[in-house]
């Protein structure tokens, strides 16, 4: 069994009565992974991250971090997590070194050497004496990352770290994330609304929409399922006839319940063939459901 650094089960949360913002969310983030938390704007990524960090109180479900229920060991867990949510708060009139010193004092127990180390990791040593207000957005984001690295965290949680960055800034952030994972062994949980971003950086992916997890697996499995066959369920008044129609057409058939039969098709146009043939036999079709239609989901994640 792979070790999970984050594990939630049936997580529920609402900001206001009558609207569920997080529904039954089950997350599994393996140790050593770069886990991409993918979803359109407003789908619940930041809310989930706030729940993981205990900044919001869940309404239901469980959260385990480092194998401990969050209620039992929040302080201990947080000491092993570095987080960067939305834009980091920085002192614009101070330089990078001074910003890090303040953050280090606040956290306590952080050596002078570590400040130089994190500057090195995020490649800001050359600019450490420059006031932050003269930094590009990408440099500010990297300084935010440096702050979250001060305590040498085992788990790094980054909320849309490439948002608003120019292409150069995006590439720099991406390679930093990979470096941290490969050279320092840090497990990284990173949110994004762009599929392309997740595909380039991550080993694992969870796709969220309207507060619900729609898909969770490795990026490899996700990419393979993009060219997958269609799994279709047909609801009808006569499953015997439908089964024989499918057999005649050389499609598989599997009974789901008294009124529903499932089949696997190679192409979308096969759906028309199946419907036409069934209707020719004067059988009623109540519903046709495509069970693994990731295509539509991808569209909502790639358009921007
Ligand atoms: N402070 C808040 N009060 C009420 N609703 C909120 C608040 N923050 C976010 N929401 C709502 O919760 C949902 C999820 O938002 P959010 O987690 O910010 O999404 P994402 O980070 O994926 O863009 C949205 O419908 C958003 O409008
Ligand atoms: Mg957000």
């Amino acid at each position: 069994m792979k070790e999970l650094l984050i594990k939630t089960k049936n997580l529920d949360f609402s900001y206001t009565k009558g609207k569920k913002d997080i529904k039954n969310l089950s997350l599994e983030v393996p140790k050593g992974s770069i886990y991409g938390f993918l979803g359109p704007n407003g789908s619940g990524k930041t809310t989930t991250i706030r729940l993981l960090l205990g900044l919001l109180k869940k309404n239901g479900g469980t959260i385990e971090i480092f194998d401990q229920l969050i209620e039992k060991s929040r302080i201990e867990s947080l000491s092993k997590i570095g987080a960067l949510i939305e834009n980091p708060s920085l002192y614009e009139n101070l330089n990078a070194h001074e910003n890090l010193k303040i953050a280090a004092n606040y956290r306590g127990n952080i050596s002078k050497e570590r400040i130089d180390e994190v500057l090195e990791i995020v490649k800001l040593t050359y600019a450490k004496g420059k006031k932050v207000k003269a930094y590009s957005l990408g440099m500010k984001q990297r300084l935010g990352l440096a702050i979250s690295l001060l305590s040498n965290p085992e788990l790094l949680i980054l909320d849309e770290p490439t948002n608003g960055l120019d292409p150069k800034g995006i590439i720099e952030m991406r390679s930093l994330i990979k470096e941290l994972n490969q050279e320092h062994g840090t497990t990284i949980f990173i949110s994004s609304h762009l599929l392309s971003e997740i595909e380039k950086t991550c080993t694992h992916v969870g796709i969220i929409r309207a507060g619900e997890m729609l898909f969770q697996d490795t990026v490899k499995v996700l990419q393979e399922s993009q060219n997958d066959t269609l799994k279709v369920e047909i609801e009808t008044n006569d499953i015997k006839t439908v089964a024989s129609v499918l057999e005649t057409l050389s499609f598989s058939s599997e009974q789901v319940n008294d009124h529903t039969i499932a089949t696997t098709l190679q192409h979308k146009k096969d759906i028309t063939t199946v419907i036409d043939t069934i209707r020719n036999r004067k059988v009623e079709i109540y519903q046709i459901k495509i069970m693994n239609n990731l295509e539509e989901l991808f569209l909502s994640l790639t358009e921007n």
Side-chain angles (χ1 to χ4, degrees), residues 32-34 121 123 145 156 158 170-186 188 190 196-203:
S33 66
I34 306 181
I121 293 172
K123 300 177 176 62
L145 182 60
L156 198 55
L158 307 173
I170 293 177
I171 291 168
E172 284 168 349
M173 185 56 80
R174 205 184 282 150
S175 63
L176 259 180
I177 288 166
K178 285 188 184 165
E179 230 173 271
L180 279 166
N181 176 256
Q182 281 159 19
E183 287 169 26
H184 300 260
T186 316
I188 302 176
I190 174 174
S196 57
E197 195 55 42
I198 296 294
E199 281 184 312
K200 285 196 187 86
T201 326
C202 300
T203 56

Side-chain angles (χ1 to χ4, degrees), residues 25 28 41 164 171 201 203 205 218 282:
L25 193 86
E28 295 195 346
N41 289 325
I171 291 168
T201 326
T203 56
V205 60
T218 61
K282 302 278 176 263

Side-chain angles (χ1 to χ4, degrees), residues 72-228:
K72 295 226 172 93
S73 61
R74 175 164 178 251
I75 305 291
E76 196 199 326
S77 295
L78 285 183
S79 70
K80 295 189 273 181
I81 301 177
L84 183 57
I85 307 185
E86 280 154 359
N87 294 323
S89 42
L90 301 167
Y91 297 97
E92 297 265 330
N93 278 316
L94 300 180
N95 65 36
H97 200 269
E98 291 161 342
N99 267 280
L100 282 162
K101 242 163 84 181
I102 292 172
N105 281 339
Y106 183 73
R107 281 168 178 73
N109 244 342
I110 288 168
S111 67
K112 272 192 188 138
E113 291 71 34
R114 183 63 187 162
I115 293 180
D116 292 326
E117 259 170 46
V118 295
L119 277 167
E120 199 63 31
I121 293 172
V122 304
K123 300 177 176 62
L124 276 179
T125 305
Y126 79 99
K128 68 177 178 185
K130 218 158 109 177
K131 280 189 180 169
V132 166
K133 65 180 170 199
Y135 276 19
S136 70
L137 192 60
M139 289 164 83
K140 287 182 189 173
Q141 202 69 344
R142 266 149 55 210
L143 179 54
L145 182 60
I147 291 173
S148 69
L149 291 174
L150 278 171
S151 54
N152 200 8
E154 277 177 55
L155 170 65
L156 198 55
I157 298 183
L158 307 173
D159 192 13
E160 307 228 29
T162 56
N163 237 6
L165 300 188
D166 58 15
K168 184 168 164 271
I170 293 177
I171 291 168
E172 284 168 349
M173 185 56 80
R174 205 184 282 150
S175 63
L176 259 180
I177 288 166
K178 285 188 184 165
E179 230 173 271
L180 279 166
N181 176 256
Q182 281 159 19
E183 287 169 26
H184 300 260
T186 316
T187 303
I188 302 176
F189 180 90
I190 174 174
S191 76
S192 174
H193 62 279
L194 291 175
L195 174 65
S196 57
E197 195 55 42
I198 296 294
E199 281 184 312
K200 285 196 187 86
T201 326
C202 300
T203 56
H204 291 71
V205 60
I207 302 179
I208 181 178
R209 190 164 60 181
E212 277 183 281
M213 187 72 96
L214 300 182
F215 178 94
Q216 180 171 244
D217 213 312
T218 61
V219 167
K220 188 162 173 278
V221 168
L222 176 78
Q223 285 166 337
E224 283 165 2
S225 61
Q226 273 174 286
N227 341 312
D228 237 10

Side-chain angles (χ1 to χ4, degrees), residues 3-4 23 33 60 68 80 118-119 137 147 180 185 254-255 266 280 282 296:
E3 192 181 335
L4 300 174
K23 295 170 215 155
S33 66
Q68 302 277 332
K80 295 189 273 181
V118 295
L119 277 167
L137 192 60
I147 291 173
L180 279 166
E254 187 192 335
Q255 186 173 338
Q266 300 300 322
N280 275 341
K282 302 278 176 263
E296 180 222 354

Side-chain angles (χ1 to χ4, degrees), residues 15-16 19 21 39-48 86 159-160:
Y15 283 103
T16 49
K19 177 177 175 263
D21 296 292
N41 289 325
S43 54
K45 302 183 295 296
T46 302
T47 304
T48 304
E86 280 154 359
D159 192 13
E160 307 228 29

